[in-house]
Amino acid sequence: MSEFYDDLETRDPEVREAAWLAALPAAVARAQATTAGAALLAGVDPLAVTSREALASLPVTRKSELLARQQAARADGGDPFGGFSAIGWRALGLRPARRVFQSPGPIYEPEGAAADYWRFGRALYAAGFRAGDLVHNSFSYHLTPAGSMMETGAHAIGCTVFAGGVGNTELQLQAMQELRPDAYAGTPSFLRIALEKADEAGLTLPFLTKASVGGEAFPPSLRDWLAARGVAAYQSYGTADLGLVAYETAARDGLVLDEGVIVEIVRPGTGTPVPDGEVGEVVVTTLNPDYPLVRFGTGDLSARLPGHCPTGRTAPRIRGWMGRADQTAKVRGMFVHPGQVAEVLKRHPEAGRGRLVIEGEMANDRMTLRVECAAPPEGLAGAMAGTLRDVTKLRGEVALVAPGSLANDGKVIEDARRYD
């Protein structure tokens, strides 16, 4: 039995990149065919978007903007998807969707009719799921799409699914005991709770040997705890807007990018890609024709890893979830955004990476913009302090530091104030 889900996973990297770039014009055109995309990508020639550089010139759409557009449209009795979806139902004048889901916000997401619409079959296969397995799915089937994401992925492999959903731990544990599932899909914390309750009840679940987990952090300590109880668990990373973005393999060496998305890592608050290895925001262009999102900012931090997965999968890898990119802070009654820090740096080409550090006690805030610079010209710090004041409307100092001095953790704004 093949170790790989399909031949796409072992393509020559140059062939994959060429295929991704060749798909970009159609992806942009599909987005422009939606109401929101027409506004966000106005004036863009889809046929000209055939390179990473051209893609990087397009605006980033962040979840906050998607939510704002949805809310505005709903307030006027319009499209509840805010003009981003190509599918829906007859009253919207859109092609039929199979289901509609609601995520916190609320944000509404469509599910199309394509088999494995969310593309999670690839992640489940990498976690060891195989045709004929019984999968206990404890992700929610109510309102949010997580349950359907995993179920349709499992069906694509040929698995049978028990729709456990959330809660009812005792009943779910009873089902595990009586149905004897081979695999689990859900949050890692619920799996731990179920196994702990099994221990308390004197039950054993030796048949449950593999799991695909997501929806929350999965620290190595929990991974090892599950492994000690015979369960090899692997994490997947996806969103309700994009479907699968990346997944863990048996190598446990970063997360491999899905074949159906084009991923960039950009400097938080901007749309500018960062060098490989540098931490930034995960920005995704999906090739899904039903929900065509171009340069969708997830708000999550990660970094691209060098090389390829030791399992033989050749797609690029990222380090996994490393925190959130939204680092907005309130200073002396004014909000300061990562994009403002980026604007200050942009106005001074001599500057490298920067980090705005906010210190002091409440009502006594101090801002210092720490900037990496190899050979600063005379007066640069003072000039940048003036730019900082112009952009943020707040006074702050600028400290020039050597290249490499700032931590590679994706932070653009560090709130180091004391609140005690």
Side-chain angles (χ1 to χ4, degrees):
M1 187 175 294
S2 174
E3 181 183 349
F4 305 110
Y5 185 68
D6 57 26
D7 293 339
L8 296 179
E9 294 185 350
T10 55
R11 283 185 290 179
D12 181 284
E14 293 184 1
V15 171
R16 177 184 293 102
E17 182 70 8
W20 275 342
L21 296 180
L24 271 176
V28 174
R30 286 193 295 263
Q32 283 183 321
T34 66
T35 305
L40 295 168
L41 299 171
V44 174
D45 178 7
L47 297 179
V49 186
T50 57
S51 67
R52 291 275 179 171
E53 293 74 21
L55 179 62
S57 70
L58 303 182
V60 173
T61 300
R62 292 188 165 81
K63 186 169 293 233
S64 58
E65 182 172 2
L66 185 150
L67 173 60
R69 285 180 174 270
Q70 286 200 1
Q71 289 175 329
R74 294 197 297 265
D76 293 336
D79 179 4
F81 298 117
F84 285 94
S85 177
I87 58 175
W89 51 90
R90 185 177 59 249
L92 300 179
L94 300 172
R95 292 185 287 111
R98 176 177 287 169
R99 298 185 183 93
V100 177
F101 292 100
Q102 182 195 81
S103 293
I107 292 176
Y108 292 98
E109 300 101 1
E111 179 185 70
D116 194 12
Y117 173 81
W118 311 95
R119 307 182 313 282
F120 266 82
R122 190 176 303 282
L124 299 181
Y125 197 90
F129 292 38
R130 294 295 183 269
D133 284 348
L134 174 61
V135 178
H136 185 106
N137 185 9
S138 76
F139 272 121
S140 175
Y141 280 81
H142 177 63
L143 292 179
T144 65
S148 186
M149 286 176 163
M150 290 296 177
E151 180 170 290
T152 52
H155 286 165
I157 296 173
C159 300
T160 300
V161 177
F162 175 74
V166 297
N168 300 307
T169 306
E170 290 76 13
L171 288 176
Q172 293 211 47
L173 184 57
Q174 180 183 356
M176 287 182 180
Q177 182 69 18
E178 296 177 349
L179 296 177
R180 302 169 64 86
D182 305 278
Y184 166 91
T187 62
S189 59
F190 186 80
L191 179 56
R192 176 166 187 160
I193 289 170
L195 293 177
E196 287 177 336
K197 285 190 174 294
D199 288 344
E200 293 171 5
L203 303 176
T204 59
L205 305 173
F207 37 82
L208 183 61
T209 60
K210 45 199 172 187
S212 179
V213 298
E216 61 189 24
F218 185 44
S221 57
L222 181 50
R223 178 196 66 199
D224 295 343
W225 187 93
L226 294 172
R229 285 153 181 79
V231 181
Y234 298 89
Q235 60 184 318
S236 58
Y237 167 45
T239 75
D241 318 279
L242 302 163
L244 181 67
V245 175
Y247 59 98
E248 192 175 20
T249 72
R252 297 199 185 277
D253 190 6
L255 303 182
V256 178
L257 296 183
D258 179 53
E259 301 288 339
V261 290
I262 300 173
V263 174
E264 304 166 273
I265 307 294
V266 309
R267 187 157 288 113
T270 77
T272 306
V274 300
D276 287 357
E278 185 171 326
V279 177
E281 181 184 5
V282 179
V283 169
V284 181
T285 296
T286 176
L287 304 181
N288 177 4
D290 293 338
Y291 201 35
L293 298 174
V294 173
R295 300 204 85 199
F296 185 76
T298 65
D300 295 324
L301 294 175
S302 193
R304 183 162 169 168
L305 292 174
H308 303 298
C309 181
T311 63
R313 293 172 174 85
T314 56
R317 296 173 300 152
I318 58 176
R319 286 176 60 183
W321 187 81
M322 300 177 67
R324 293 291 293 170
D326 184 6
Q327 300 157 27
T328 300
K330 199 170 189 179
V331 181
R332 299 173 220 147
M334 300 279 288
F335 283 106
V336 181
H337 306 273
Q340 292 175 304
V341 177
E343 177 62 25
V344 174
L345 298 173
K346 180 181 177 182
R347 295 187 188 183
H348 298 273
E350 311 94 331
R353 292 194 302 150
R355 174 182 301 214
L356 185 67
V357 181
I358 306 167
E359 299 172 292
E361 297 74 34
M362 292 303 291
N364 186 27
D365 304 321
R366 301 188 305 275
M367 294 197 320
T368 303
L369 179 59
R370 297 172 57 81
V371 180
E372 293 184 351
C373 190
E378 185 176 352
L380 178 61
M384 293 193 73
T387 304
L388 179 64
R389 183 176 62 254
D390 292 341
V391 171
T392 66
K393 312 306 178 189
L394 294 163
R395 293 184 179 276
E397 297 181 357
V398 172
L400 303 178
V401 299
S405 299
L406 301 181
N408 181 25
D409 55 10
K411 280 190 177 181
V412 176
I413 298 177
E414 178 184 352
D415 192 342
R417 287 175 290 191
R418 290 169 48 194
Y419 294 93
D420 53 1

